[in-house]
């Protein structure tokens, strides 16, 4: 199935910025939705932002105006630009893919990367 490789996490002071990248395996085509979720220990993984193949975006209210999601279909990559980071943005950020084609088969459902840690210090 699709392989998702995330990068770009790190330790940043409050007010700083990061850019996360997630590259899906090259043989995964026509990916429907790509997005980013974050998880804090003891809490359910929650949507941060998503973008459809056609470019429609969705953001959590807490990150609107600060984060920007984008995708490059030619590179099979989704990005998340995190600006104006706050302590509450700390967590493990997971790349998510929902729906993709592999050859002549279409795979539905959610697929996840391994996650990348984002830590914001106050």
């Amino acid at each position: 199935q699709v392989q998702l490789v995330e990068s770009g996490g790190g330790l940043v002071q409050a007010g700083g910025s990061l850019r996360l990248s997630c590259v899906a395996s090259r043989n995964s085509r026509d990916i429907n939705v790509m997005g980013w979720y974050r998880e804090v220990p003891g809490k359910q993984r929650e949507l941060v932002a998503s973008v459809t193949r056609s470019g429609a975006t969705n953001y959590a209210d807490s990150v609107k105006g600060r984060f920007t999601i984008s995708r490059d279909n030619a590179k099979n990559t989704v990005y998340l630009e995190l600006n104006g980071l706050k302590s509450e943005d700390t967590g493990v950020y997971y790349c998510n893919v929902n729906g993709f084609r592999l050859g002549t088969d279409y795979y539905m459902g959610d697929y996840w990367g391994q996650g990348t840690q984002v830590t914001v210090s106050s």
Side-chain angles (χ1 to χ4, degrees):
Q1 295 181 350
V2 62
Q3 301 173 63
L4 305 174
V5 180
E6 302 122 317
S7 62
L11 174 63
V12 183
Q13 289 187 324
S17 300
L18 285 173
R19 189 177 84 153
L20 308 182
S21 299
C22 173
V23 182
S25 48
R26 63 170 58 181
N27 57 348
S28 302
R29 307 292 185 181
D30 299 328
I31 297 173
N32 184 19
V33 181
M34 306 184 80
W36 291 93
Y37 289 67
R38 69 185 173 198
E39 184 175 312
V40 177
K43 291 195 64 178
Q44 185 176 348
R45 189 174 299 179
E46 64 179 3
L47 173 69
V48 176
S50 65
V51 57
T52 69
R53 187 174 67 251
S54 62
T57 58
N58 186 36
Y59 295 93
D61 288 341
S62 62
V63 307
K64 287 181 179 177
R66 299 189 298 119
F67 293 6
T68 301
I69 191 168
S70 61
R71 62 190 285 175
D72 186 335
N73 291 333
K75 296 181 178 179
N76 248 23
T77 301
V78 62
Y79 306 94
L80 184 68
E81 296 180 4
L82 297 73
N83 189 47
L85 284 162
K86 305 174 180 179
S87 295
E88 54 262 41
D89 294 320
T90 294
V92 179
Y93 284 68
Y94 293 90
C95 181
N96 168 263
V97 166
N98 188 286
F100 66 94
R101 179 174 60 83
L102 183 62
T104 59
D105 298 317
Y106 195 85
Y107 293 81
M108 301 177 65
D110 288 313
Y111 299 85
W112 302 93
Q114 292 297 111
T116 184
Q117 177 72 41
V118 172
T119 303
V120 183
S121 61
S122 59

